[in-house]
Amino acid sequence: MAVIWWPASTGNPAGLLVGSLVLAQRHRIRVGPLAATAMVVLGFLVGQILLGPITGLAAMILTGVGLWAIAIQIRSRRSLREADELAQLTNGLANQALVAPTVVEAVRQAAPLIPGRVGAAARVMGAECQTGGLVEAANRFAATIQRPVAEMLATVLAEAFRGGSQWVGLAGVLADEATEAAETARHFHRYAAALMPQIAVTVVMAVGMLAITGFAARDVGRWLASPVGQQLLLLLAVLTAALCARVLAPAWRMSR
């Protein structure tokens, strides 16, 4: 779990010290999917060494199911963190809209108070407002974060920069939307944090019980090592994956 979590996690502000945030995101090597692929291949190799290629395929399927559940929980945690950061940013902008003389100044005052990846992108946006334009910087911020609230924030900032008369009201509405989105992400994370580990542990326990039975009862172990036994293991793995996918697939879509 640590090997998968660390590369898949994002939000390290130190990455902003080397060039632009957008370029860093474009050229960042996605180590998480590579590590997950390596784990799935390792599961296949272990099953093949122990019993045969059919068992290796079954082990690969079950390893993929467990990693899928872990990945959903990781993405849910990251989504909740970024939703909270966006809520803090929009609330800060709503407060600054009441006192800041310009929209650019409001962004510059609100950005340093936000932690994490959203805060780092907001600080880049505030710095780019001086050298470029606020509209372009806001669009790059939305492209970096890639969340609906970030796109709404870019639209509001662009409208305010063009002289929109409802800047203060729009900032307040945006803050309310971001707070509601953060609460929705928090509710989903409670669901994911409770259910995803159960799925992973259930798969591990099922494999462990089969392995213990095969080692404890020699005749059962010999039958499981036979072609018919390996085919049964593959069938059980496919059925387990199909049952888990009914829960994991909707949760994966929601976590995105």
Side-chain angles (χ1 to χ4, degrees):
M1 291 178 65
V3 171
I4 301 300
W5 176 83
W6 178 76
S9 63
T10 59
N12 184 9
L16 293 175
L17 299 178
V18 184
S20 172
L21 177 66
V22 178
L23 293 178
Q25 289 296 323
R26 287 179 179 176
H27 297 285
R28 179 172 56 89
I29 299 176
R30 300 184 63 83
V31 185
L34 294 178
T37 303
M39 294 292 290
V40 172
V41 173
L42 179 62
F44 173 78
L45 293 177
V46 171
Q48 184 180 23
I49 292 173
L50 291 178
L51 294 179
I54 300 178
T55 303
L57 184 59
M60 182 180 68
I61 294 174
L62 294 179
T63 303
V65 170
L67 292 175
W68 194 6
I70 295 172
I72 290 174
Q73 188 175 13
I74 294 172
R75 292 177 65 128
S76 174
R77 184 184 300 112
R78 183 173 57 192
S79 176
L80 174 59
R81 182 173 62 248
E82 293 183 355
D84 285 336
E85 293 169 1
L86 281 171
Q88 296 178 38
L89 176 61
T90 54
N91 279 279
L93 284 174
N95 294 331
Q96 290 296 326
L98 300 173
V99 296
T102 62
V103 181
V104 174
E105 186 64 24
V107 174
R108 291 181 55 193
Q109 292 296 329
L113 304 177
I114 311 304
R117 193 169 78 99
V118 173
R123 286 188 289 275
V124 171
M125 178 175 62
E128 290 178 346
C129 291
Q130 296 179 339
T131 58
L134 177 60
V135 177
E136 292 77 10
N139 289 333
R140 283 191 289 269
F141 172 82
T144 301
I145 302 302
Q146 294 182 351
R147 294 192 177 277
V149 173
E151 296 177 0
M152 294 170 60
L153 174 61
T155 302
V156 170
L157 291 178
E159 178 67 20
F161 186 73
R162 295 189 182 102
S165 59
Q166 303 295 327
W167 152 242
V168 177
L170 289 175
V173 173
L174 179 62
D176 294 338
E177 291 288 338
T179 302
E180 184 177 351
E183 185 61 32
T184 302
R186 188 171 295 105
H187 174 75
F188 174 77
H189 183 66
R190 285 196 297 265
Y191 157 79
L195 189 57
M196 297 303 114
Q198 294 180 18
I199 294 177
V201 170
T202 301
V203 171
V204 172
M205 289 180 61
V207 174
M209 291 180 65
L210 282 174
I212 291 173
T213 304
F215 282 111
R218 296 296 181 180
D219 54 343
V220 175
R222 286 191 297 269
W223 184 83
L224 289 175
S226 66
V228 177
Q230 292 190 53
Q231 291 174 8
L232 178 62
L233 291 177
L234 178 60
L235 178 61
L236 291 176
V238 171
L239 291 177
T240 301
L243 291 174
C244 293
R246 292 179 60 87
V247 177
L248 295 177
W252 179 260
R253 289 193 298 268
M254 292 176 65
S255 67
R256 298 183 65 181

